[in-house]
Amino acid sequence: MQVWPGQAYPLGAAYDGAGTNFAVFSETAERVELCLLGDDGSETAVELRESDAFVRHAYLPGIMPGQRYGFRVHGPYAPASGHRCNSAKLLLDPYARAVSGRVDWGEEVYGYHFDEPDKRNDLDSAPHMMTSVVVNPYFDWGDDRPPRTPYHETVIYEAHVKGLTMLHPDLPDELRGSYAALGHPAIVEHLTKLGVTALELMPVHQFVNDHRLVDMGLNNYWGYNTIGFFAPHNAYASWGDRGEQVLEFKQAVKALHEAGIEVILDVVYNHTAEGNHLGPTLSYKGLDNASYYRLMDDPRYYMDTTGTGNSLLMRSPHVLQMIMDSLRHWVTDMHVDGFRFDLAATLARQFHEVDRLSSFFDLVQQDPVVSQVKLIAEPWDVGEGGYQVGNFPPLWTEWNGMYRDTVRDLWRGEPRTLAEFASRLTGSSDLYQDDGRRPLASINFTTCHDGFTLHDLVSYNEKHNEANGENNQDGESHNRSWNCGAEGETDDPDVLALRARQMRNFIATLMLSQGVPMLSHGDEFARTQGGNNNAYCQDSELAWVRWPHGESELLGFTRAMAMLRRDHPVFRRRRFFHGRPVQGTHDELSDIAWFTPEGEEMREDDWSASQAQALSVFLNGNAISEPGQRGERINDDSFLLMFNASPEPLEFTVPVNHGRQWQIVVDTAHDDGVPPDPAKVRAGDRITLADRSLAVLQRPA
């Protein structure tokens, strides 16, 4: 076998048509062996003798795509000093573009003996390990172009690759649960008819099924357990894992782009699947433990702000380089359109405290590729000071957990929520305006993968996670949910009617709010998980989307609300409301006004009244301050939104000075959300809203 010196960059395995360059970083290694693995179980070791700035490298002519490989690192095994090198452990390439196989859990993949944790374990892990794969980078993208949908026109749909597609009746059996299914016309058509412009995929980076879960007969279904930040998860490929998963993912992205749908990845750069000091040795831990992980003062142990056992060392230049290289790879090579960063507060922990000016955000801000795509933060972690909603820098949008909590509280009847609800409905200026951001910094959601589905939010007071094997101790206990009078499934027609109305209320509120709406997959037709609010380990029909037969009323209502939002820029403003008339218009009315149910403008004591659970808001379509794309003035119809979150029907008076004639276009008290004969009402008229319902009145421009 010929071995040429090769290059130190790019890291990973780079195939050029004639051979492959291998490069891997390790500052602590004394020797590094590249191990080429044969299908017959053989292993050919090639020592990487060339080293530049701690990057070992070599070029091997004739090594083709599909070749499986790994690394063995010879160096110190001294946990008390933070080093865990062990040449008996076959290690994944951190930069592998594809990964083959899975981990066969046993003592062999650990660096210590189970019965003697302080003793080094020299059992060979290779027969039990997943392996890195050389990938052909060439792909015919044709005329693929990123949709680049502006935030104010964006509707996000959060979905799980397998969960969304596994049970779809129109998909061929061999495609279900795969990347290929995402690009199938049946899925694309559903998303486009729903008004979705961006598909946010739960983790598709290569992840590992935890040893503990496998022993329990469960799986890490959600995938927040990454081991490879450059590789698409191999279990979601329908036709092979020797690089086929890369082609299949690219084909799905290409098909979604053709339909005008962006692809956003939920990424987990805050920790890896190697866990704490008792976790396995799969890659980073054996390559250079102290360079990759945040260690405690006693370096045998790991600092954990993620609740998973470890946290990546965000002040390490090699970790930062890996993350930025990974992000650029997914944008430039895989054509994705953005990222949602799991537990993003951890990325800001340059030292111990959360610092929004940390190195990671500096790099993103300056990067000519990554700074141009959608960047969404989950703005919290489990460490001290980790709840950082509203504190991320410009360029970033945030999952707005305060929006979720406030909207849930309003519709379940919690008192003293009106003032905060008004802020959430209008884009959360209290969170985003002071740092120059706009309403579009707020990713609004009432449900997501983590927690109750929409159906379960209105059907359960308590979590029911018994299937997870932890005696119902896992998952959030305070869900701000309300079962509408019966816990779980029921035949009571009154309870069922109220639940259906509440689901319409949540969907309507989401689509009428300023900011960027995000739907959770299956909520548009009332998917249930039987009250399980932490289905992270449920790779089964409990968590998969069960598609309804034919059209459902909730699906039709969700589509209608998405279209109402799409057609009317007053619901998707790019600037915050001023609360006064807008200069340069002929309209003397304020751009927004708030009213009591009696039709009187809200006063300070109205906002703070302990039992206040209802209000109206006027949105002036003639007073939109921001111009259109070509500088033109934007005019729209005006709307009056009436919210009755009280347990009793209430009479609302149409304000007298904000329009003479209106038409009721939405009323969640009706099964399809629309009055059977859309009524026209005049200023001063009285309208009775059913308990826990909302109505939308429209006035032509």
Side-chain angles (χ1 to χ4, degrees):
M1 180 184 297
Q2 294 186 67
V3 180
W4 299 351
Q7 303 294 327
Y9 193 85
L11 291 163
Y15 171 70
D16 63 5
T20 302
N21 189 83
F22 294 89
V24 63
F25 162 79
S26 177
E27 185 172 348
T28 192
E30 296 164 0
R31 291 172 47 228
V32 175
E33 291 177 304
L34 166 68
C35 300
L36 303 177
L37 305 169
D39 292 339
D40 59 357
S42 62
E43 179 178 319
T44 302
V46 177
E47 184 171 350
L48 302 182
R49 299 181 181 276
E50 297 292 328
S51 178
D52 293 295
F54 303 112
V55 175
R56 312 295 177 107
H57 53 88
Y59 180 91
L60 275 62
I63 297 299
M64 297 287 113
Q67 173 66 56
R68 296 186 303 126
Y69 71 98
F71 296 111
R72 293 187 186 272
V73 172
H74 300 260
Y77 181 81
S81 300
H83 303 305
R84 294 180 180 269
C85 299
N86 186 339
S87 60
K89 309 306 169 185
L90 185 73
L91 305 176
L92 285 174
D93 180 357
Y95 278 71
R97 266 54 174 181
V99 172
S100 177
R102 59 180 179 82
V103 177
D104 179 18
W105 290 111
E107 196 173 38
E108 293 85 355
V109 298
Y110 290 81
Y112 62 93
H113 289 280
F114 290 167
D115 56 351
E116 295 182 84
D118 294 328
K119 182 179 179 181
R120 170 174 159 150
N121 174 349
D122 288 326
L123 296 172
D124 184 10
S125 70
H128 306 272
M129 268 294 291
M130 44 180 34
T131 56
S132 308
V133 178
V134 176
V135 168
N136 189 336
Y138 305 108
F139 179 79
D140 183 9
W141 283 104
D143 59 356
D144 181 71
R145 294 291 184 274
R148 295 196 181 281
T149 307
Y151 270 119
H152 69 283
E153 296 176 2
T154 295
V155 175
I156 298 174
Y157 187 84
E158 186 200 29
H160 187 283
V161 172
K162 187 173 185 179
L164 178 66
T165 63
M166 194 64 187
L167 299 179
H168 196 293
D170 296 332
L171 291 176
D173 288 345
E174 65 272 15
L175 296 187
R176 294 183 181 187
S178 71
Y179 300 121
L182 293 177
H184 190 277
I187 297 298
V188 174
E189 181 184 14
H190 174 74
L191 296 176
T192 53
K193 290 176 69 174
L194 193 58
V196 169
T197 69
L199 180 62
E200 182 178 303
L201 295 175
M202 292 173 65
V204 298
H205 287 174
Q206 184 67 50
F207 62 86
V208 173
N209 279 321
D210 315 50
H211 192 169
R212 178 184 67 87
L213 292 177
V214 172
D215 284 349
M216 295 169 64
L218 300 169
N219 284 314
N220 191 315
Y221 170 65
W222 284 354
Y224 293 93
N225 203 33
T226 305
I227 196 60
F229 295 106
F230 294 78
H233 186 60
N234 57 21
Y236 298 153
S238 63
W239 53 289
D241 70 356
R242 296 286 190 93
E244 293 90 347
Q245 62 266 54
V246 178
L247 296 175
E248 192 171 318
F249 181 89
K250 290 179 176 179
Q251 287 166 344
V253 171
K254 186 177 178 181
L256 289 162
H257 280 182
E258 287 176 356
I261 298 173
E262 295 182 305
V263 177
I264 297 172
L265 301 188
D266 192 340
V267 290
V268 190
Y269 292 111
N270 51 73
H271 75 279
T272 78
E274 291 186 303
N276 61 17
H277 62 290
L278 297 178
T281 299
L282 307 176
S283 180
Y284 317 89
K285 189 178 286 187
L287 280 165
D288 194 334
N289 185 60
S291 289
Y292 280 108
Y293 293 116
R294 184 186 295 274
L295 304 179
M296 301 290 285
D297 292 338
D298 181 344
R300 289 177 298 175
Y301 304 111
Y302 297 79
M303 184 174 291
D304 179 16
T305 59
T306 65
T308 60
N310 65 58
S311 303
L312 283 172
L313 182 59
M314 295 307 298
R315 67 175 182 266
S316 164
H318 306 289
V319 170
L320 291 169
Q321 178 189 358
M322 181 183 70
I323 293 175
M324 296 306 298
D325 285 348
S326 169
L327 292 170
R328 282 189 293 268
H329 163 70
W330 286 96
V331 175
T332 59
D333 296 344
M334 310 295 273
H335 285 209
V336 305
D337 305 283
F339 305 95
R340 178 265 187 189
F341 292 81
D342 178 67
L343 301 181
T346 292
L347 302 177
R349 292 183 185 274
Q350 187 165 354
F351 295 99
H352 174 70
E353 69 284 353
V354 175
D355 176 9
R356 78 173 193 168
L357 299 179
S358 70
S359 299
F360 172 70
F361 296 107
D362 291 343
L363 292 172
V364 169
Q365 190 87 13
Q366 299 169 29
D367 191 275
V369 174
V370 180
S371 65
Q372 300 305 302
V373 301
K374 287 184 167 69
L375 301 170
I376 305 170
E378 182 187 34
W380 50 78
D381 64 15
V382 301
E384 183 180 350
Y387 193 76
Q388 294 290 319
V389 173
N391 290 333
F392 277 71
L395 285 188
W396 289 75
T397 61
E398 301 176 12
W399 270 26
N400 191 343
M402 291 187 181
Y403 177 94
R404 172 200 59 205
D405 296 345
T406 301
V407 172
R408 289 186 178 191
D409 279 348
L410 177 85
W411 286 115
R412 72 189 180 112
E414 283 295 299
R416 298 186 183 278
T417 60
L418 276 191
E420 186 167 358
F421 173 71
S423 179
R424 305 297 155 242
L425 184 73
T426 55
S428 297
S429 61
D430 58 323
L431 299 177
Y432 305 115
Q433 191 170 30
D434 61 348
D435 56 13
R437 286 187 287 174
R438 301 276 176 89
L440 303 169
S442 178
I443 305 297
N444 297 330
F445 66 105
T446 53
T447 58
C448 64
H449 69 274
D450 189 2
F452 282 142
T453 65
L454 182 60
H455 171 278
D456 293 355
L457 183 67
V458 300
S459 303
Y460 294 90
N461 285 349
E462 308 294 337
K463 63 185 179 183
H464 295 268
N465 298 353
E466 290 80 7
N468 295 355
E470 299 182 41
N471 297 316
N472 205 32
Q473 297 300 306
D474 62 300
E476 176 60 58
S477 296
H478 182 47
N479 293 281
R480 291 181 159 90
S481 62
W482 178 49
N483 64 21
C484 297
E487 186 74 0
E489 298 304 313
T490 180
D491 295 325
D492 188 318
D494 293 334
V495 172
L496 293 175
L498 177 55
R499 288 177 179 176
R501 188 158 71 251
Q502 287 283 71
M503 286 190 282
R504 291 192 291 272
N505 290 335
F506 281 116
I507 294 291
T509 303
L510 181 66
M511 292 300 173
L512 297 171
S513 298
Q514 306 297 324
V516 180
M518 185 185 76
L519 288 165
S520 180
H521 65 331
D523 276 354
E524 67 271 29
F525 35 71
R527 177 176 79 93
T528 180
Q529 293 180 166
N532 191 316
N533 74 351
N534 190 34
Y536 77 102
C537 57
Q538 296 298 326
D539 188 2
S540 67
E541 291 193 25
L542 185 147
W544 301 340
V545 172
R546 291 182 289 280
W547 293 78
H549 298 289
E551 299 289 317
S552 70
E553 287 178 333
L554 184 60
L555 176 58
F557 178 74
T558 306
R559 287 173 176 166
M561 291 305 304
M563 294 307 105
L564 182 68
R565 178 185 183 85
R566 182 198 65 185
D567 294 341
H568 293 285
V570 76
F571 295 124
R572 41 186 179 82
R573 292 185 47 151
R574 290 175 286 120
R575 297 177 181 170
F576 288 109
F577 290 99
H578 299 285
R580 61 179 183 274
V582 174
Q583 292 182 352
T585 69
H586 300 294
D587 198 324
E588 297 180 356
L589 296 174
S590 173
D591 59 352
I592 188 170
W594 303 90
F595 300 92
T596 66
E598 292 78 19
E600 302 293 333
E601 289 213 39
M602 294 279 283
R603 301 184 307 271
E604 188 65 33
D605 55 346
D606 294 322
W607 291 109
S608 59
S610 62
Q611 299 306 313
Q613 295 176 299
L615 83 167
S616 297
V617 55
F618 166 73
L619 304 180
N620 190 347
N622 292 318
I624 297 175
S625 59
E626 60 266 24
Q629 189 172 8
R630 298 182 179 178
E632 75 277 14
R633 184 171 169 234
I634 299 176
N635 281 321
D636 192 13
D637 296 345
S638 294
F639 289 85
L640 189 65
L641 315 180
M642 296 177 169
F643 296 88
N644 177 21
S646 71
E648 303 294 336
L650 282 182
E651 197 172 67
F652 282 69
T653 300
V654 179
V656 295
N657 296 321
H658 287 72
R660 295 181 180 178
Q661 186 164 290
W662 300 81
Q663 183 167 343
I664 303 175
V665 293
V666 176
D667 184 350
T668 60
H670 296 275
D671 290 343
D672 59 0
V674 179
D677 182 17
K680 292 185 177 180
V681 296
R682 294 182 176 275
D685 285 355
R686 296 177 181 273
I687 304 171
T688 300
L689 263 65
D691 59 291
R692 296 189 173 88
S693 70
L694 70 83
V696 178
L697 283 62
Q698 183 175 359
R699 189 198 76 191

